Amino acid sequence: MRKTRFFIMIFVLVGIMFVLSGCGLHYSDHFDFDFSGRYMADKYVDLLIPIDEDDEFYTPYNCNIEGHIEIPEDSEIVNYNKDGYRSMLMHVKDSRLEIYIQDSEGHHNTHEEYNGIPYKISQCVCLPSYHMSERDEKFKEFCNKYKKCYAVVFDGNGNILHISKQIPIVSLGKFYLQDISYNLERNRIKPDYVVSEGLSYSVLEVWLLSVAGTIGCIITLIVGKLNQNRPIVSYKGYGYIIASAIFNIPVVVLIMTFLYMAFGKSLTIVDFFINLFNIFIGYLSFIFMPINIGVLIHFIRLIQLEKETASEKNLDISGKI
């Protein structure tokens, strides 16, 4: 019995670590883009956001690209203005672009062993620098203010080469844009969102209730097995179903929450199912959800079997009469 309780405690603690590791407790102050190959070695990524000249963050010209790259003020990216969307790097005060280039061996381009062939390129579109204590609130303020954006790629002369489809910066009010994978050949964008603190803690609470529900289902199953050889009154069987159903309520809520999270993080149907799968795996739900549902189905089938057995007995009795 002590060993059983010990393993249950270990399971819960490990699960809590997994859940907390996915909680959006901190936000970054930049949007990360990852590219493969050398194509982006001399090109730059930016965000088009709905900013006008009356905006408190607006500036006519801001060019702060790592490597002291100067983009001409009369270039396409600086003067782009379609439906109110303009370049974040060129028009948000003190925004900047940081660039990280690695070769196939993982050496940074500033490392002495760098082989000169870009293999992985990361570019970070950064908000103005704020004190650490302000960073989270400033990031959320930025996201909630501009709400949607487009990713754009331009060259050293400021010529626009690619514009993605629209991307939510904040989705459903609970998911904030962080990392972005941009397939330039297919012009396919795949954003990654961080979950807000409130939703993260809510998921943790429901997850813990689901674990408790699993333990309750297991106990109900054990009690049912112990009573299996005793005379069973039908209402007891229904009692097991009711108990199992109650213990399954947190699991149902958790599943609905996961569907909500997958929807909030996805741009396409394919992304929805991929994100849903990753969420189920990340929260260890594949362990306890089948147990809960399996126990409930077990007792439902048991009641059906009892009814079938009772019907057969009645038929036998009527046949003898």
Side-chain angles (χ1 to χ4, degrees), residues 27 136-145 176 197:
Y27 307 99
D136 285 357
E137 287 305 316
K138 291 295 184 181
F139 176 80
K140 289 193 293 183
E141 180 184 330
F142 177 90
C143 293
N144 289 318
K145 181 174 185 178
Y176 294 89
E197 302 104 314

Side-chain angles (χ1 to χ4, degrees), residues 45-46 62-63 87-92 95-97 125 154:
V45 70
D46 191 3
N62 173 86
C63 184
S87 162
M88 173 182 164
L89 286 176
M90 302 300 157
H91 295 295
V92 172
S95 60
R96 65 194 188 281
L97 182 67
V125 181
F154 60 95

Side-chain angles (χ1 to χ4, degrees), residues 78-222:
V78 175
N79 293 284
Y80 184 90
N81 182 9
K82 184 176 180 181
D83 298 327
Y85 283 83
R86 305 176 191 239
S87 162
M88 173 182 164
L89 286 176
M90 302 300 157
H91 295 295
V92 172
K93 295 174 187 176
D94 301 322
S95 60
R96 65 194 188 281
L97 182 67
E98 297 179 354
I99 302 171
Y100 304 89
I101 301 177
Q102 293 180 332
D103 62 18
S104 57
E105 301 297 321
H107 299 128
H108 192 267
N109 63 334
T110 58
H111 195 276
E112 59 182 11
E113 296 185 16
Y114 178 68
N115 63 20
I117 302 174
Y119 178 76
K120 182 180 179 181
I121 299 172
S122 297
Q123 297 191 12
C124 303
V125 181
C126 304
L127 275 63
S129 297
Y130 295 102
H131 188 272
M132 185 68 72
S133 61
E134 299 180 290
R135 187 173 296 173
D136 285 357
E137 287 305 316
K138 291 295 184 181
F139 176 80
K140 289 193 293 183
E141 180 184 330
F142 177 90
C143 293
N144 289 318
K145 181 174 185 178
Y146 298 112
K147 299 187 184 304
K148 295 180 180 180
C149 68
Y150 297 87
V152 58
V153 173
F154 60 95
D155 63 18
N157 295 316
N159 299 311
I160 293 177
L161 306 176
H162 305 273
I163 297 179
S164 75
K165 65 180 180 180
Q166 195 176 69
I167 313 165
I169 301 179
V170 57
S171 177
L172 302 180
K174 300 291 185 182
F175 307 92
Y176 294 89
L177 184 65
Q178 293 279 256
D179 302 331
I180 304 167
S181 297
Y182 193 1
N183 186 321
L184 295 171
E185 292 181 0
R186 299 181 180 179
N187 197 30
R188 185 176 186 274
I189 204 88
K190 188 178 185 304
D192 186 28
Y193 292 87
V194 64
V195 181
S196 67
E197 302 104 314
L199 181 57
S200 293
Y201 288 123
S202 297
V203 173
L204 174 59
E205 291 169 359
V206 177
W207 187 90
L208 290 174
L209 287 173
S210 298
V211 172
T214 301
I215 295 171
C217 278
I218 292 172
I219 293 172
T220 304
L221 181 63
I222 292 171

Side-chain angles (χ1 to χ4, degrees), residues 6 8 10 35 39 87 90 118 120 129 154 159 163 177-178 193 212 218-219 225 243 260 266 283-284 298 301 306:
F6 173 77
I8 290 173
I10 292 295
F35 303 95
Y39 177 77
S87 162
M90 302 300 157
K120 182 180 179 181
S129 297
F154 60 95
N159 299 311
I163 297 179
L177 184 65
Q178 293 279 256
Y193 292 87
I218 292 172
I219 293 172
K225 289 292 184 182
Y260 173 77
S266 306
Y283 284 87
L284 301 177
H298 166 75
R301 287 179 175 174
E306 287 179 5

